Amino acid sequence: LYSGFSGFDLVDYVAVLKEWNDRARRHDEVRRVLDLVDLTADMHRRIRSMSGGMQRRVAIAAALIGDPELLVLDEPSAGLDPEQRLRLRSVLSAAGRQGCVVVSTHMTDEVAALCNRVLVLDLGVVRFDGEPQELATVAADRVWIDDEATPGAVHSWYIADGSVRCVGTPPAGAQLVPPTIDDGYLLLTHDAKVAS
């Protein structure tokens, strides 16, 4: 991002690079995509004066120019507040109905909300390729709740009610709980490291 440009100027510049030559149509398109990412009120601010989240939204707006058939985004929701993340989900799901949206992210809640296909890359190897819910089933019968961290669990952490969620090989009589995409991811990448 060119810090001396305003958000409008930068997205307009990208539109010119994408050969939007009719100035009136181009400016309408620039305003449309800036509105999609909720930057209408701030479109004339210099990028250097914008927060990191606002700058991220300017970059997303530039990528959305012309409703591309393929949209590739790296951590698009980084630096966005919850309301902006929900708005971004709406924008990306709409883009996904018109073309293909590829999102690289570590935020599995985004994956669950947006994606119909997930690839897990770990150490340069595809460890999983399937639907989000299938990734959760990787951890079926391997997630439990306990009063304290279980020795030998792959991962354990305290949850809101004060109990401990454990992932790995449960002890006899463990209170099993439904797995999440996070659980599947943790086990998948851990098992791959153990096998290496």
Side-chain angles (χ1 to χ4, degrees):
L1 299 178
Y2 298 111
S3 63
F5 281 31
S6 69
F8 183 94
D9 292 339
L10 182 89
V11 177
D12 186 50
Y13 174 68
V14 171
V16 169
L17 295 176
K18 290 183 176 186
E19 299 181 359
W20 282 68
N21 298 320
D22 181 304
R23 184 175 185 193
R25 282 188 61 237
R26 184 177 74 237
H27 285 184
D28 287 344
E29 177 68 357
V30 169
R31 282 187 285 276
R32 180 187 76 84
V33 295
L34 286 167
D35 184 56
L36 284 175
V37 297
D38 197 26
L39 282 176
T40 300
D42 295 297
M43 71 171 77
H44 296 295
R45 280 182 63 183
R46 297 268 181 237
I47 290 174
R48 73 169 60 98
S49 71
M50 293 180 173
S51 69
M54 291 174 80
Q55 290 179 14
R56 172 82 52 173
R57 288 185 286 149
V58 169
I60 292 168
L64 292 169
I65 288 286
D67 295 320
E69 292 179 21
L70 175 63
L71 190 59
V72 180
L73 302 169
D74 183 23
E75 302 285 354
S77 61
L80 301 183
D81 67 32
E83 182 179 345
Q84 293 165 350
R85 280 198 307 274
L86 291 174
R87 187 173 182 130
L88 178 64
R89 284 181 189 176
S90 176
V91 169
L92 295 183
S93 64
R97 284 192 297 276
Q98 297 172 329
C100 179
V101 179
V102 177
V103 177
S104 171
T105 185
H106 292 90
M107 300 179 77
T108 55
D109 59 329
E110 297 292 323
V111 170
L114 287 172
C115 302
N116 57 17
R117 181 175 174 197
V118 178
L119 278 87
V120 174
L121 297 174
D122 182 43
L123 304 173
V125 176
V126 176
R127 304 283 184 202
F128 176 85
D129 181 354
E131 295 179 7
Q133 194 50 45
E134 291 172 340
L135 179 54
T137 62
V138 166
D141 300 324
R142 296 184 68 190
V143 184
W144 69 99
I145 299 296
D146 210 333
D147 294 331
E148 55 188 44
T150 305
V154 172
H155 295 282
S156 304
W157 61 95
Y158 285 95
I159 57 177
D161 66 4
S163 60
V164 178
R165 185 177 182 94
C166 303
V167 178
T169 303
Q175 178 188 344
L176 296 177
V177 295
T180 65
I181 293 174
D182 280 328
D183 300 325
Y185 175 84
L186 290 170
L187 281 172
L188 192 70
T189 55
H190 174 267
D191 291 349
K193 287 179 181 86
V194 169
S196 295

